[in-house]
Every structure is written in C-alpha cells, then in structure tokens.
Amino acid sequence: MTRPLIETINLKKNFGSLEVLKGVSEKIYPGEVVTILGPSGSGKSTFLRCLNLLEEPTSGQVIFEGTDITDKKVNLDQHRQKIGMVFQHFNVFPHLSVLENITITPILEKKVSKADAEEKAMKLLKMVGLDDKVNEYPRKLSGGQKQRLAIVRALAMEPDVMLFDEPTSALDPEMVKDVLDVIKKLADDGMTCVIVTHEMGFAKQVSDRVIFMDEGIIQEQGTPEEVFDHPKNPRTIEFLSKVLY
Amino acid sequence: MNLIAEIFDVAWRFRAVFFEGMLGTLQLASITVFFGTLLGALVALLRMSRSKILSTVAKLYIDIIRGTPMLVQLYIFYMFVPQMIPALKALNLPEYFYIVLSLVVNSAAYVSEIIRSGIQAVDKGQTEAARSLGMSASHCMTRIILPQAIKNILPALGNEFIMMVKETSLASTFYVNELMRTKIILQSTYFITWQSLFVIAIIYYVLTTILSKLVSLLERRLAVGD
C-alpha cells in the first residue's frame, strides 16, 4: 500500500477550555479527493488548519510525506511550500498586482527567476481565465476572481496537496460555479485535495471519500454514495436531513 | 482694537526672532520624530516579540513614559541623567542633546504603539496566506504586512509630529531655542510681555493647521490603494 501523503495521529486542539479536536487520526493518500462535512463548530476547519500547522495542535502529530511536521526542529516553511491552502476570505495580497500575488513567493522562497515565475503565472492565469487581469490589483476583481487568483497563487508553489477551507462560502451565488470548476479540474488532474465545504452537490460529485465530523471527532466516513445515500451514524443522518433539500 | 494693533506691531518688529523660534521648533520636532520613529520601531518589535521578557520590558517602558508627564521626564533627562551616569558625564555633551534625548525617548513610546497597532490592523488572513505558501516570517513581515501597515502608520506618524510641534514648547524651560523660548527672549531683552504670547499662539495654530491638512492629504493619497 502506498504511503499516506498526510497522516494525523490522535490530533487534539483546545482553545482555552474548549476542546475543538478530540483526537483525530486520519490518512490522506496521494491523488485522493477528500471532502470534510460537518456543522459549524464541529472542528472541520480547525482540523484542516492543523494539517499545515496554521493551527498548532495541542497534542498529536501531523506526518507530511513521512516527516512529523509538529516537530519543532523541522523547517516548517519548506514543508508548507508543498501544502497549498485556499481560504474562505481569499486573503489575496491587496498591495500586489495579480501577477505579483502569484510570483512573489516562488521568487522569494524557491529562488525561481522572475522570468520563469512570470511565465508559469501566465499559464496558471490562463487556466483559470484571468489572463486579462495580469496587471490589475485585487481591488478590481470580483470575489470569484479573487478566489481563483488565490488558487493559482497556491498552485504556483507546485504543492503536492491543496487544502480548501470553505472556498465558496464568502462568494455571491453566481460566482460559486467558476471556483468549483477550477477545483474540480484540479481534482480531475490528480491533485490531492482536502476540501472543507458546505456545497453538498459538489462534494458528492468530486470526492473519492467524504468525512463527516462533529464534536471534534470523525463520526463517519466513506464513499460519497455511502455517506450521502446510506448514512449510518445518527448525527450524519440528522445533519444531512437539515442540509439536503 | 489697540491691543490687536500692538500684537501685530510686535509680530512685525520681531519677525526675525519669531521666525528663528519657529525654525527651532520645527527642527526639534523633526529630529524627535525621526529618531523617535527609529527607536519606536525597535520598541514595537520588542513589544511584539515572542520572548516574554523582552515584551514585558517594552511594555513597561511604554507604560512609564506614557503614564508620566513630559515635563518630569525632561527634568530627569536634563538634571539627573548627565550627572548620574558617569559614562555620559565624561562625554560632556551639550544640554540640547539631553533635551532631544528626552523627547526622543518620549516620542518612541507613542510611536511604538502607532507601529504596533498599524501592524496589528492588517488582516490576520494576510499572515496566514503568506505563511501557508511557505513564506518565511521575515519575508512575510517585510513584503506582505509592513507595506500594508504603512498606510495606517504614516498618517498617525504625521499626527505624532503635530503633537511634537506643540509638546516641544516645554523645552523652553531648559533654554532650548524654539518658538516658546521667544517669549522669554523678548521679555528679558525688550520688556515685551503679553503680546508675544498671542503671536506665538497664532504661529503654533497656523503650523498645526497646515500640518494636519498635509496629513489628511497623505491619508487620502494612501487610501486610493484600497
């Protein structure tokens, strides 16, 4: 069996006295598309943010490509370059042009030449249909365009996995599809993706595996058919009955 | 009517003295804010440092300076510091130096809080995005956070300069050449008593008004980027 790309071992996270993650052990394999569902406060976003240590776990380990990145001795920046992340609120850099948003990190941290970085950025922008916005600043972009920019900004680092933290939750409804199309294309091209989302239809269509989280633990997981059509856990059933119309 | 004519008469006759005083004030305020910004940036870094000790020392410094009157600080720097610190005493530096030092130490406490709040006002998501891409902490600060924080910091620094234009009037107590000092000069040399006060007040008012117009201009310029 292949080695998991990311493995968490008994991951726990407390915010003060609040236990948000109560011990999550999970494996993500290369090429997998995993979506994480759950009500708000279930710990799904915290779990995702622990995978690249944006959130420092209270205890437990995160093994990325065989390295325990919770170890203080590892160079976390280097590992993070291999873990792309897309945020709910885009977090594009407003003081940099669309092109610079994409090229700044490869140039600074991977010592890629400016010309190479820009050529690559142009290709990525073309892929998401933003090639006419190269020299614009993010304030001129719509929410959907900002999110597509954020996705290619992460891709420019040539990550081995992409984490999506509710990538469409802050978008106007008519912008959602463009962004989901991009994610779907990535997934179809074999990118390992971990997606926290409320888009049930999308999760069903794109996932290899669906994880349902509640109260800080994984309550149920399986193929989309198993989880959506034949859920076993009463919490999953309750959740799905509320969100599926 | 007579009184107003007298004020204008004094203003005109001693325009050179007032002008020199005004330059002294602007010089003092500029030097203070310049070095106050350098020291303040350092203090802000310490204040935000992960080390508990460094951050506590910086906080103590800021609290003490902001919690005590400037005049008291000036007296301490003017009388105590040069006498009690042998290394400094040996240098035999001019009194002006100690006054400036005191003003800088005072200004740095305020500036450090300006810088700190300017940095903290930048959306946390910016740091998260940069660090998630694998950007180092120092690049994240210099390339992502500071360029955005500067928009919050620069206008506030302008306001600090305006504050300093007024605050430096306290230095007149210590024979430093600045605008407020002209009152004492005119009184002791020409027996001009109350008239100069109004001239001085008008000059301060005009200076601060012009400066705050410049600050709001700067603010609008910087806001264009948003």
Side-chain angles (χ1 to χ4, degrees):
Chain A
M1 197 153 179
T2 50
R3 184 179 72 174
L5 191 64
I6 308 178
E7 179 176 5
T8 66
I9 303 169
N10 201 20
L11 207 59
K12 292 184 182 171
K13 175 70 188 180
N14 301 343
F15 290 112
S17 61
L18 185 72
E19 284 183 280
V20 180
L21 293 180
K22 297 174 183 166
V24 179
S25 298
E26 191 48 62
K27 295 183 175 96
I28 314 279
Y29 288 93
E32 253 196 320
V33 177
V34 178
T35 55
I36 306 175
L37 311 177
S40 39
S42 61
K44 56 191 193 307
S45 272
T46 306
F47 174 67
L48 193 76
R49 290 162 57 83
C50 278
L51 296 183
N52 66 353
L53 259 59
L54 271 191
E55 217 67 79
E56 203 178 323
T58 309
S59 68
Q61 289 167 296
V62 180
I63 317 287
F64 174 67
E65 297 184 330
T67 310
D68 178 6
I69 57 172
T70 56
D71 186 342
K72 295 270 185 260
K73 287 189 284 268
V74 301
N75 183 339
L76 189 55
D77 293 338
Q78 251 162 37
H79 291 287
R80 277 177 172 158
Q81 289 173 16
K82 299 257 144 224
I83 311 175
M85 186 163 202
V86 173
F87 301 85
Q88 184 177 357
H89 296 289
F90 331 130
N91 301 346
V92 291
F93 305 134
H95 62 302
L96 299 178
S97 71
V98 166
L99 189 67
E100 291 165 334
N101 258 276
I102 302 171
T103 58
I104 184 169
T105 322
I107 291 172
L108 282 178
E109 309 298 339
K110 289 176 83 175
K111 309 294 173 210
V112 177
S113 77
K114 191 163 180 263
D116 288 353
E118 289 183 351
E119 194 191 320
K120 170 129 215 237
M122 283 307 300
K123 269 188 206 151
L124 287 165
L125 285 172
K126 202 162 277 171
M127 183 185 96
V128 296
L130 287 175
D131 41 330
D132 56 331
K133 307 279 184 199
V134 190
N135 296 314
E136 295 283 8
Y137 279 80
R139 66 176 177 277
K140 295 257 173 98
L141 302 184
S142 71
Q145 291 170 330
K146 281 182 191 160
Q147 194 60 303
R148 281 179 278 155
L149 169 60
I151 292 172
V152 291
R153 177 180 65 178
L155 289 177
M157 294 300 285
E158 301 180 330
D160 294 336
V161 55
M162 288 285 286
L163 311 177
F164 295 89
D165 190 4
E166 303 195 22
T168 58
S169 297
L171 293 178
D172 290 335
E174 74 269 23
M175 311 270 179
V176 170
K177 193 170 171 299
D178 285 345
V179 170
L180 293 183
D181 280 345
V182 172
I183 301 173
K184 176 141 192 339
K185 182 167 181 340
L186 284 179
D188 290 345
D189 289 349
M191 175 63 79
T192 312
C193 296
V194 186
I195 309 165
V196 169
T197 186
H198 292 295
E199 298 289 336
M200 297 301 152
F202 177 72
K204 205 168 171 175
Q205 194 187 94
V206 79
S207 314
D208 297 315
R209 186 150 60 98
V210 176
I211 290 176
F212 174 73
M213 280 185 75
D214 195 15
E215 304 202 316
I217 54 168
I218 293 177
Q219 301 278 356
E220 180 167 6
Q221 61 169 301
T223 64
E225 292 73 33
E226 286 169 345
V227 175
F228 283 109
D229 302 336
H230 312 286
K232 295 180 197 74
N233 186 303
R235 287 190 181 279
T236 320
I237 296 167
E238 192 197 345
F239 175 73
L240 290 175
S241 74
K242 281 179 183 157
V243 296
L244 293 178
Y245 188 74
Chain B
M1 202 55 223
N2 231 352
L3 299 182
I4 292 173
E6 257 185 79
I7 292 168
F8 276 102
D9 177 54
V10 166
W12 182 248
R13 260 200 298 153
F14 298 101
R15 58 190 181 278
V17 181
F18 287 118
F19 187 70
E20 203 184 314
M22 185 184 83
L23 289 185
T25 285
L26 288 175
Q27 181 188 322
L28 203 54
S30 306
I31 296 174
T32 300
V33 173
F34 179 76
F35 288 103
T37 303
L38 295 185
L39 182 61
L42 183 72
V43 176
L45 273 181
L46 296 180
R47 179 79 181 86
M48 290 184 294
S49 114
R50 279 191 194 191
S51 152
K52 259 251 149 63
I53 302 168
L54 291 181
S55 125
T56 310
V57 169
K59 184 171 187 319
L60 205 64
Y61 163 71
I62 294 164
D63 286 351
I64 290 174
I65 294 295
R66 298 207 303 177
T68 55
M70 173 99 113
L71 192 55
V72 175
Q73 295 165 21
L74 280 166
Y75 268 111
I76 289 173
F77 273 83
Y78 182 77
M79 296 170 68
F80 180 81
V81 173
Q83 298 309 315
M84 292 304 165
I85 301 174
L88 277 176
K89 197 178 178 187
L91 288 173
N92 204 13
L93 293 162
E95 282 157 351
Y96 189 76
F97 171 83
Y98 291 99
I99 296 304
V100 170
L101 185 65
S102 176
L103 293 170
V104 166
V105 164
N106 178 281
S107 185
Y110 290 90
V111 170
S112 74
E113 287 295 274
I114 289 171
I115 292 174
R116 188 170 74 102
S117 61
I119 287 172
Q120 286 177 344
V122 176
D123 180 17
K124 222 171 143 261
Q126 292 290 308
T127 307
E128 291 189 345
R131 299 310 303 278
S132 80
L133 287 164
M135 204 183 275
S136 68
S138 58
H139 279 150
C140 173
M141 183 53 85
T142 55
R143 307 298 289 269
I144 303 299
I145 304 305
L146 282 181
Q148 297 183 59
I150 212 83
K151 290 184 183 186
N152 312 324
I153 293 171
L154 275 184
L157 277 183
N159 288 327
E160 171 67 13
F161 183 72
I162 294 171
M163 281 301 296
M164 268 301 146
V165 164
K166 291 182 288 176
E167 294 269 280
T168 48
S169 62
L170 288 172
S172 63
T173 318
F174 305 94
Y175 314 106
V176 169
N177 173 37
E178 46 73 58
L179 186 53
M180 193 60 207
R181 182 86 195 131
T182 55
K183 154 85 171 66
I184 299 157
I185 293 170
L186 293 184
Q187 184 162 342
S188 58
T189 320
Y190 301 99
F191 309 106
I192 307 280
T193 50
W194 60 273
Q195 299 91 333
S196 59
L197 282 175
F198 288 92
V199 181
I200 289 167
I202 290 166
I203 296 174
Y204 274 121
Y205 177 70
V206 170
L207 275 183
T208 53
T209 307
I210 292 171
L211 287 168
S212 34
K213 284 270 182 287
L214 288 175
V215 168
S216 41
L217 207 71
L218 177 73
E219 240 168 355
R220 250 173 292 151
R221 265 286 170 81
L222 291 171
V224 170
D226 289 331

